[in-house]
Amino acid sequence: MEVMSHSSSFLIPAIPPDQRSSLTYALVVLNQSLPRFVPLLWKHAQLRLCADGGANRVYDELPLLFPHEDALDVRNRYKPDVIKGDMDSIRTEVLDFYTNNGTKIMDESDDQDTTDLHKCVSYICDFAPNLDKSSLCILVAGALGGRFDHEMGNINVLCRFSSIRIVLLSDDCLIHLLPRTHHHEIHIQSSTVGPHCGLIPVGMPSGSTTTTGLEWDLHETEMRFGGLISTSNIVKGEKITVRSDTDLLWTISIKKLQTG
Ligand SMILES: Nc1ncnc2c1ncn2[C@@H]1O[C@H](COP(=O)(O)OP(=O)(O)OP(=O)(O)O)[C@@H](O)[C@H]1O
Ligand SMILES: Cc1ncc(C[n+]2csc(CCO)c2C)c(N)n1
């Protein structure tokens, strides 16, 4: 089975050439308090979207990350390429500002069956039909730590688009899917992430998972809700390997103070 590599180099301000990823990043900003590293993700991304009320966060909160600069200058520097969603949360002044500054507005208020994040991920996949999807990685800012129904909706997007690399981020942690179609190598940049981590079956129990590099490694272990799931685990080395018969969620803490 093919090995899929994962790294969180997008959290490193100046990526050393030997660690530079071959992935093309897209950023989706959700309607939650902006993680402090959004300017970094913005820099790494080639396409930037706001999901509906996410545009309010960029408009209101990005200037607060640059307190010594004029708010309008900051807003003009961080203009999303696209705002997409059912448009029931974006404020009129915010919509007007970005409409007048070249952002593409995509109103999908007719669709009340998919979330705004789902709509944004669909757009990115359609936007880049010729892009090799294995080199696309969608970073989602503000996906965790808020309303539980939204958090579960965001995790469901990982499952609905299981062949696309999507990373859900908050200030405190990140989550992505490890599809069962691959073996996985997770490269840990210990200056930015860890040591707390978890491996969680999603949708169905996992009959057999084997890992290396964790304090509590799994050895052909069964995991299920109501039984064992691996939470409060600790990364021990620079590389974690995971093999499983089902899709798993991988989560790791993000360091508050970046070291190194
Ligand atoms: N508290 C939250 N926690 C996690 N994700 C959130 C939260 N609030 C919003 N989001 C994400 O941001 C996206 C856009 O948010 P927005 O508030 O515009 O959505 P919405 O569809 O109007 O939500 P609702 O009508 O359920 O309040 C949502 O689709 C969701 O993915
Ligand atoms: C069974 C079921 N539950 C909830 C919703 C509501 N809903 C789900 S996504 C969405 C759009 C949010 O921007 C809304 C309103 C539904 N349609 N079907």
Side-chain angles (χ1 to χ4, degrees):
M1 199 180 273
E2 230 182 298
V3 174
M4 191 171 178
S5 289
H6 308 266
S7 111
S8 48
S9 57
F10 50 80
L11 288 174
I12 300 175
I15 308 174
D18 60 318
Q19 287 180 35
R20 225 157 263 168
S21 141
S22 54
L23 297 175
T24 300
Y25 291 106
L27 171 66
V28 181
V29 178
L30 301 185
N31 188 14
Q32 271 245 87
S33 221
L34 283 189
R36 65 197 179 284
F37 43 74
V38 160
L40 191 56
L41 305 182
W42 196 281
K43 193 178 78 179
H44 288 309
Q46 289 181 26
L47 182 68
R48 295 106 178 188
L49 289 85
C50 290
D52 188 7
N56 299 340
R57 304 303 183 135
V58 170
Y59 186 89
D60 294 337
E61 296 177 22
L62 249 168
L64 304 179
L65 298 174
F66 300 92
H68 302 301
E69 289 185 54
D70 182 65
L72 187 58
D73 289 345
V74 178
R75 281 182 196 129
N76 279 317
R77 200 161 70 236
Y78 291 95
K79 288 180 294 199
D81 298 298
V82 177
I83 300 172
K84 180 163 176 150
D86 64 359
M87 302 306 194
D88 60 353
S89 302
I90 188 169
R91 301 196 310 275
T92 310
E93 73 175 302
V94 177
L95 185 58
D96 290 348
F97 178 82
Y98 292 120
T99 305
N100 295 329
N101 280 285
T103 295
K104 181 172 179 173
I105 311 293
M106 303 187 74
D107 182 339
E108 291 215 348
S109 43
D110 288 346
D111 175 0
Q112 290 297 315
D113 292 330
T114 63
T115 67
D116 295 326
L117 174 58
H118 182 122
K119 293 176 174 83
C120 287
V121 170
S122 295
Y123 174 84
I124 294 166
C125 294
D126 297 346
F127 177 83
N130 299 324
L131 183 77
D132 175 9
K133 293 290 188 298
S134 64
S135 67
L136 171 67
C137 180
I138 303 177
L139 306 172
V140 185
L144 307 161
R147 254 173 54 191
F148 187 65
D149 62 327
H150 273 312
E151 290 184 289
M152 291 306 281
N154 297 338
I155 288 172
N156 190 41
V157 167
L158 300 185
C159 301
R160 289 183 84 146
F161 295 88
S162 61
S163 63
I164 307 287
R165 290 175 186 264
I166 303 175
V167 185
L168 303 181
L169 292 135
S170 72
D171 256 326
D172 301 309
C173 71
L174 64 80
I175 303 183
H176 58 81
L177 199 73
L178 304 179
R180 63 177 173 280
T181 48
H182 289 74
H183 292 162
H184 298 277
E185 279 186 8
I186 305 166
H187 298 271
I188 307 294
Q189 276 96 17
S190 58
S191 58
T192 54
V193 293
H196 301 284
C197 66
L199 267 177
I200 299 154
V202 63
M204 65 177 79
S206 154
S208 175
T209 300
T210 298
T211 66
T212 63
L214 300 175
E215 178 151 349
W216 289 276
D217 270 321
L218 304 167
H219 307 279
E220 298 181 359
T221 308
E222 181 182 307
M223 289 196 287
R224 62 168 69 237
F225 274 91
L228 172 89
I229 62 169
S230 178
T231 56
S232 298
N233 213 325
I234 302 280
V235 299
K236 292 307 279 181
E238 289 189 345
K239 189 175 92 178
I240 311 298
T241 68
V242 181
R243 297 174 168 210
S244 182
D245 61 346
T246 58
D247 293 353
L248 296 177
L249 294 177
W250 164 255
T251 181
I252 187 161
S253 52
I254 296 178
K255 286 190 172 147
K256 278 270 180 284
L257 288 172
Q258 313 245 317
T259 54

